Amino acid sequence: MTEVLNQLFIGGAWVDAADGATMPVDDPATGEILCHVADAGPKDARLAEEAAVQAQAEWGRTAPRARSEILRRAYELIIERTDELAHLMTAEMGKPLAEARGEVAYAAEFFRWFSEEAVRIDGGCGTLPDGRNRMLLSRRPVGPCLLITPWNFPLAMGTRKIGPAIAAGCTMILKPAPQTPLSSLALAGILKEAGLPDGVLNVVTTSRAGEVCEPLLRGGRIRKLSFTGSTGVGRLLLAQCADTVVRTSMELGGNAPFIVFDDADLDVAVDGAMVAKMRNMGEACTAANRFFVHRSVAEEFGRRLAERMGALVVGPGTRDGVDVGPLIDATGRAKVAELVADAVERGARVLVGGRTPEGPGCFYPPTVLADVDPGSRLMDTEIFGPVAAILTFDDEDEVLRRANDTPWGLVGYVFTQGLDRGLRVSEGLEVGMVGLNTGLVSNPAAPFGGVKQSGLGREGGRVGIDEFLEYQYLAVPVR
């Protein structure tokens, strides 16, 4: 495993928390403490804010090509250190090494993508309708940003936010999830090595999120919040942003429908289900949550999915041949077990899995439930675990109505061999993203985000940098 950086990163320097506080980082595969890292408090937040504010003017004037080259160098360093970063991620988060290596590549690609976007920030000019005035449009950084990332993709969620902020010319404070601070601290070290000026990126690891973040959002100096996490926390942060009208973008919870029609290629559908459900042990906002399968193929689909899920090897992510690592912590595992128990009490049949194993670690087996009652709690709760809950449907209108009957709208999955039906149903889903005959939608080149209570704005793609830029309009009379 790579050297563990365990201090705060403020103004280009590694420092302890002002009050000397530290917090443990646990290994979810064993329950043992990996290490301790600095636990920031309000004073550290103010120091990070001051560093970001002081660096903003000069950084905002930096040539786009210079910002681009920093991101490109950071991309190359991440690729060079794939194995050590993957081991670090697996240690703090639990995912198997093969999957961690995949996340490293995914994370690096955001830096490569936004290194190319940095030099393509455009403006515009034109004649106003009266013919006597010219209009000049320029784009400039929104200013110091607060970036809050989750634990489930600790490296990629950092690069997805840091990349466009650097490309746009914004300084930032990054607050990673307390469960997974090590990947973010490693990322700060890489960016410093790549030449990022002091104060542009500041990383505050903390178990006291409210004490650290609320003063920043209410203080008037932070001009942008980018948050990935639960809808409940998102609502709270929106309220805190209101007083000073902080610009916000949020990727919040999901309750993804996975729809399999009677004409679907079941091999393709099951392959898609394995990706949409089991990526990251099901601990993803894009994870398929509700499997709606046409009644005529439900039994066969369930049998095939249970066979595939049951063949997966569960164990520590560092062990060879392991497909499914532990869930993030005991609380997360208990939630999954309670949701499964509720569904079974309501009549669901367990096709595979469904029992919490004995022994250390936060493991839970891949589970498939059939004949799930629509009133089960897991139908309106983000499962965040390796559980596929199958319900049946009879017609297109019915399944669209049921799929859309949720306050969330991040992603949906549709499996059918009919082009007309595929387009019709995809367009009918109230979601920001659709996987049509695929279980994977995430890509740095595509705009990622949802509708309804799944978020605001988009990350990635050509529009991802827009969240960090403002327009300025200059009127020029011509006499």
Side-chain angles (χ1 to χ4, degrees):
M1 191 170 73
T2 189
E3 178 188 358
V4 174
L5 301 169
N6 62 358
Q7 295 174 292
L8 308 177
F9 185 66
I10 298 177
W14 296 100
V15 298
D16 294 327
D19 60 5
T22 63
M23 62 181 187
V25 181
D26 296 333
D27 179 351
T30 64
E32 297 176 357
I33 295 175
L34 289 169
C35 64
H36 288 78
V37 300
D39 189 359
K43 184 174 181 180
D44 304 298
R46 290 194 296 273
L47 291 172
E49 179 186 53
E50 184 63 25
V53 169
Q54 290 300 316
Q56 179 58 61
E58 183 174 354
W59 177 242
R61 291 192 295 266
T62 303
R65 178 59 69 189
R67 302 197 296 264
S68 172
E69 291 301 316
I70 289 170
L71 285 170
R72 182 69 190 197
R73 285 194 294 272
Y75 160 79
E76 292 167 350
L77 288 170
I78 291 173
I79 294 299
E80 288 173 11
R81 297 171 190 175
T82 292
D83 279 346
E84 58 190 84
L85 288 169
H87 276 85
L88 188 67
M89 192 187 314
T90 293
E92 66 176 344
M93 189 267 160
K95 67 181 67 183
L97 277 173
E99 194 160 353
R101 291 187 184 98
E103 181 176 338
V104 173
Y106 176 51
E109 191 62 28
F110 281 108
F111 276 1
R112 179 160 68 168
W113 175 266
F114 285 110
S115 74
E116 296 162 346
E117 292 299 296
V119 295
R120 293 179 174 83
I121 299 171
D122 57 7
C125 62
T127 301
L128 291 177
D130 61 13
R132 298 188 298 275
N133 290 276
R134 303 297 182 265
M135 172 180 64
L136 300 181
L137 295 177
S138 62
R139 307 191 74 188
R140 52 193 60 206
V142 68
C145 305
L146 174 60
L147 314 177
I148 302 177
T149 56
W151 50 261
N152 56 342
F153 291 92
L155 196 67
M157 296 302 96
T159 59
R160 194 161 77 180
K161 297 180 187 301
I162 293 170
I166 289 176
C170 295
T171 61
M172 69 213 85
I173 301 168
L174 173 65
K175 191 213 79 68
Q179 297 96 327
T180 54
L182 304 180
S183 295
S184 294
L185 294 171
L187 189 56
I190 285 172
L191 282 162
K192 182 176 177 67
E193 187 176 341
L196 190 69
D198 294 347
V200 175
L201 171 66
N202 306 275
V203 181
V204 290
T205 56
T206 183
S207 66
R208 299 172 274 180
E211 296 176 38
V212 166
C213 296
E214 184 170 1
L216 294 174
L217 294 175
R218 295 190 187 277
R221 304 178 85 187
I222 295 297
R223 298 312 313 146
K224 160 75 183 176
L225 168 68
S226 178
F227 169 71
T228 297
S230 72
T231 297
V233 174
R235 292 191 197 103
L236 179 65
L237 293 172
L238 277 172
Q240 294 172 6
C241 289
D243 286 348
T244 52
V245 196
V246 175
R247 183 170 175 175
T248 62
S249 56
M250 295 189 170
E251 190 259 290
L252 306 177
N255 192 12
F258 188 102
I259 303 172
V260 181
F261 283 97
D262 53 348
D263 67 341
D265 183 324
L266 289 189
D267 289 334
V268 173
V270 172
D271 285 346
M274 293 299 294
V275 174
K277 179 71 267 181
M278 292 307 300
R279 184 184 183 213
N280 213 51
M281 293 81 72
E283 294 176 314
C285 54
T286 55
N289 212 56
R290 300 168 294 151
F291 284 77
F292 297 103
V293 184
H294 193 274
R295 192 177 306 277
S296 65
V297 296
E299 183 175 351
E300 178 65 11
F301 176 84
R303 184 190 66 76
R304 293 192 194 187
L305 182 60
E307 183 178 316
R308 291 279 297 276
M309 295 271 273
L312 297 174
V313 177
V314 180
T318 52
R319 185 181 298 166
D320 288 343
V322 164
D323 302 301
V324 183
L327 299 183
I328 187 64
D329 54 29
T331 301
R333 182 173 73 166
K335 172 190 171 184
V336 172
E338 289 168 6
L339 291 173
V340 170
D342 172 74
V344 171
E345 287 174 7
R346 295 171 185 265
R349 290 186 295 119
V350 179
L351 301 185
V352 71
R355 291 193 177 187
T356 304
E358 300 288 338
C362 302
F363 298 100
Y364 195 85
T367 298
V368 179
L369 304 177
D371 302 330
V372 174
D373 188 301
S376 301
R377 287 174 50 208
L378 48 64
M379 287 296 98
D380 57 11
T381 302
E382 196 169 19
I383 299 172
F384 246 60
V387 178
I390 300 175
L391 305 89
T392 60
F393 72 93
D394 293 302
D395 63 66
E396 186 178 308
D397 291 340
E398 172 200 355
V399 75
L400 266 176
R401 175 182 55 78
R402 292 168 66 186
N404 290 332
D405 186 20
T406 174
W408 292 282
L410 185 62
V411 61
Y413 304 94
V414 178
F415 286 79
T416 176
Q417 295 187 72
L419 178 60
D420 286 354
R421 172 184 274 170
L423 293 175
R424 187 170 59 244
V425 174
S426 297
E427 292 172 359
L429 286 173
E430 296 171 356
V431 296
M433 302 174 288
V434 177
L436 180 55
N437 293 320
T438 180
L440 181 64
V441 296
S442 301
N443 191 295
F448 187 102
V451 300
K452 299 195 287 189
Q453 293 188 34
S454 284
L456 303 165
R458 295 293 183 270
E459 294 184 306
R462 297 194 63 183
V463 300
I465 198 170
D466 293 345
E467 300 290 344
F468 296 87
L469 292 167
E470 300 278 18
Y471 275 100
Q472 185 180 61
Y473 152 53
L474 178 62
V476 183
V478 177
R479 299 180 175 84

